[in-house]
Amino acid sequence: MANVLISGVYPAREAGQQEAIKRAEAAESACPLHATATAPAQQYRPTREDESMREALKRLQPISDDFRTGDYARSFNWDEISAAFFEQLATQRGDLPGRAAGEDDWYAVVFRSQRRRDCSNADLFEADRLAYEEAYAATGGALLVYWFAGLDADHNCLATCVWSARDVARSVNALPRHREAARLSADVYVSYHIDRYRIRMDAPRQRLDVAPW
């Protein structure tokens, strides 16, 4: 499977699920989760910086073959994303508020796993789709992007998501579809590991710094 950003588009469980296939073919190579989100349970107020980040992250792509297991800050095109972010910020809508002083960080979660060869990947992808749509809806759009790649030859997988803030990301763990996704995935991994990163805006240097949280 090619590397894609997900917005309600996952592999179909069965060949007959043509609607899912059509959505996948029509999807952009990178997009935030918004197409199927429902009304938020709590109000998230977007900022100029968040919307600029959301747009910039549409460009997220790996730049090394070992990105599933390699260093997150060096495995993706953060220099390109930095340039896109500050370009977007310079032309962002004037009616959006700016971030409060000192709120210069976004929160990234990186889930690395090695899956069993006999597991049902389509079921896992579907459970993930529902969980992240639920998260987007429950936070009113504070989930800026969700990205995953297909398995490599050793069945290693990487998924990552970027949030407006750490606290709101952690608040979705108890949601029903997140709990269900965790239940389904409990027996399908040979191993897994979760890393957390801070994406910090460095305005004077016009760059984004990516470092472990």
Side-chain angles (χ1 to χ4, degrees), residues 192-209:
Y192 69 88
H193 184 73
I194 300 174
D195 294 317
R196 298 164 181 86
Y197 283 80
R198 171 185 285 108
I199 303 175
R200 174 163 291 176
M201 177 177 60
D202 187 340
R205 296 167 60 205
Q206 293 281 288
R207 63 169 291 116
L208 299 171
D209 293 323

Side-chain angles (χ1 to χ4, degrees), residues 1-3 67-68 113-117 119-121 124-125 148-158 189:
M1 184 191 304
N3 307 315
F67 69 92
R68 294 174 182 84
S113 63
Q114 185 179 33
R115 293 184 183 175
R116 286 172 31 195
R117 294 182 181 272
C119 74
S120 173
N121 287 306
L124 287 176
F125 291 144
F148 87 99
L151 308 179
D152 67 9
D154 295 320
H155 276 222
N156 292 311
C157 184
L158 179 143
Y189 298 118

